[in-house]
Amino acid sequence: MAPPPRKAQISQEAFDAAVRENVEDFEMEEGEAIADAVHTFQLQGVDLTGIITDGRGKEEHPVILAVKDLKLAVDDNAGMDRLCEALDKLRLASAGENASIAVRNGAVENAVLACKLLIDENNASYVSTAMKTLLSLLNDEQSKKDFFSSSGCDVILNFLSRHDDSSEISMLSAAVIASSASGSEMLKEEFMHLKADEKLIKILRRYVENAEVLSSACDALKALVSPDDSNVLASNAFKNARTIWKAGGVNAVLETASSNRKDPTLLVTLCATLKAMAVNEEICKSITGDNGLELTLEFVDESAKMPNKLLAKNACSLITQLALSDANKDAIVLQGGCQKLVTLASCYSEDVSVIQEVMSAIASITLRSPSNATKAVEAGAIDLAVEMMDKHPQAPGMQKQTCHMLRNLASRNPENRALILERGLEKLIRAAKSRHASCKDASSAALRDLGLDNYN
């Protein structure tokens, strides 16, 4: 798929000139002139991100003044207190939508330059201030390009190496890696080239009892293995995941999960990280071999007891991913996975987002596996499908995943077809097909594998 077309951009000067033209040539009031310029450029498909459109000129806008103040402090190699004061001023001025204005006017480059001046400082408070400012700016494509071109990756990893005994610096460093690498293939590659993954793994093992640090490190690892840059045709995320796995990253996440069983918020992040890392059968099998399956099924049980919707969804999603391995499918079933999933669904019968993940997990476990399909039916999967399809007719995602599951139960198990049809599921499947366009293919496939001639 080709990258999406980029919107045209203009300079602040071009926007200001359009406003002046409206005032001078068309005698508009300033507010009207600005609104007309904004409307005109938007109709032309122009991206106004980072353009000052509130009537304040560049000379008086607080964000511009803050960027200039930081630049002056950097250029003069001012004292550390002065430098940090300017960084703090920029961070506060760049809140919300103002961040894009700051970026367009050189904030990232100057923030990285300020960080370079702080590298030899042993004061963690100074370093923390600098990274918090960077975090406030790294929100869009341009900011990440500026961060890359300013050698920001080197600076952050330098900070991390020099201050790895500081939990706050470790957390902020990982947060900068996560924020900058998300959606940016070039920054993923640069961080991997600089072996950021190895430093993140050390963080996981060093701060095993610090949930904030662990969560930040997991977010960073997840960013490095997620193919989320729409501007590239192919990502190295798969290769990154294998590199991190070989370096012990998957094992470190599993150890972290084992040591933090009672922290559901952290467990959600750990499940999502493991899922992102489990990109092939080899890694999926290694997760199971390192007690990962037992942990995941334990999380399913715990999320049913708590209850905790996010943990339930992420644990089911991880099971779906682990079932990429046929060996894992059988292991999940042998450890009572089907019954645990059906039980979980009964605890969240009103929440279609959880039910959808449960159906997806059972569908994955039973794919091309007649024996597992039999176990799923024995666990109550057909009854669950009847109840949920009837109860939530307006939930297309859940209906679609249920159709996938029913197809897998029936395709290689003729004995299950009669059971499914006896429960009236043909009518529910056809209703999903007619009601939701997104269900059409899954519904047709389910009807076909149930042996019905008029599946189309």
Side-chain angles (χ1 to χ4, degrees), residues 192-208:
M192 290 299 294
H193 173 69
L194 296 172
K195 300 189 182 303
D197 57 314
E198 296 179 7
K199 290 182 169 58
L200 291 168
I201 292 168
K202 287 181 180 178
I203 289 177
L204 288 177
R205 291 188 163 134
R206 180 166 191 165
Y207 294 100
V208 71

Side-chain angles (χ1 to χ4, degrees), residues 145 241 344 347 377:
K145 286 182 177 179
L344 180 68
C347 296
V377 170

Side-chain angles (χ1 to χ4, degrees), residues 242-290:
R242 282 185 52 80
T243 300
I244 293 171
W245 168 59
K246 289 180 178 179
V250 170
N251 181 261
V253 175
L254 286 170
E255 289 175 356
T256 300
S258 182
S259 301
N260 291 273
R261 284 177 158 93
K262 301 305 179 183
D263 187 339
T265 302
L266 178 58
L267 291 179
V268 169
T269 300
L270 293 168
C271 284
T273 305
L274 284 171
K275 179 189 175 183
M277 289 178 166
V279 297
N280 64 11
E281 181 172 6
E282 189 177 21
I283 298 176
C284 287
K285 289 174 70 174
S286 76
I287 292 173
T288 301
D290 282 340

Side-chain angles (χ1 to χ4, degrees), residues 16-164:
D16 293 341
V19 174
R20 280 197 306 274
E21 182 181 11
N22 284 341
V23 172
E24 295 170 2
D25 295 353
F26 300 101
E27 299 181 351
M28 294 182 184
E29 296 294 332
E30 183 180 40
E32 182 187 6
I34 293 171
D36 180 81
V38 169
H39 181 66
T40 300
F41 282 122
Q42 287 177 337
L43 286 177
Q44 295 171 357
V46 172
D47 181 7
L48 294 178
T49 301
I51 298 296
I52 300 170
T53 59
D54 61 4
R56 287 182 288 184
K58 291 182 70 172
E59 299 305 316
E60 60 186 46
H61 198 285
V63 174
I64 308 301
L65 293 176
V67 175
K68 287 182 177 179
D69 190 35
L70 177 59
K71 187 177 188 309
L72 185 62
V74 169
D75 290 346
D76 290 348
N77 198 6
M80 295 301 107
D81 289 339
R82 172 75 184 85
L83 200 60
C84 288
E85 180 185 342
L87 284 164
D88 252 340
K89 179 180 176 182
L90 175 60
R91 178 175 58 83
L92 294 173
S94 301
E97 294 181 358
N98 282 341
S100 59
I101 297 175
V103 169
R104 185 175 278 239
N105 288 278
V108 174
E109 298 98 316
N110 283 289
V112 172
L113 286 172
C115 288
K116 290 178 179 178
L117 294 175
L118 291 168
I119 282 178
D120 293 328
E121 290 295 318
N122 291 320
N123 190 320
S125 176
Y126 290 156
V127 176
S128 174
T129 297
M131 285 199 289
K132 286 177 181 176
T133 302
L134 269 177
L135 271 174
S136 72
L137 299 170
L138 292 170
N139 300 314
D140 60 19
E141 184 177 348
Q142 186 58 53
S143 66
K144 295 174 184 185
K145 286 182 177 179
D146 294 344
F147 182 73
F148 177 82
S149 62
S150 303
S151 300
C153 300
D154 288 285
V155 172
I156 294 305
L157 293 182
N158 210 323
F159 277 157
L160 187 53
S161 296
R162 291 168 182 255
H163 297 276
D164 60 354

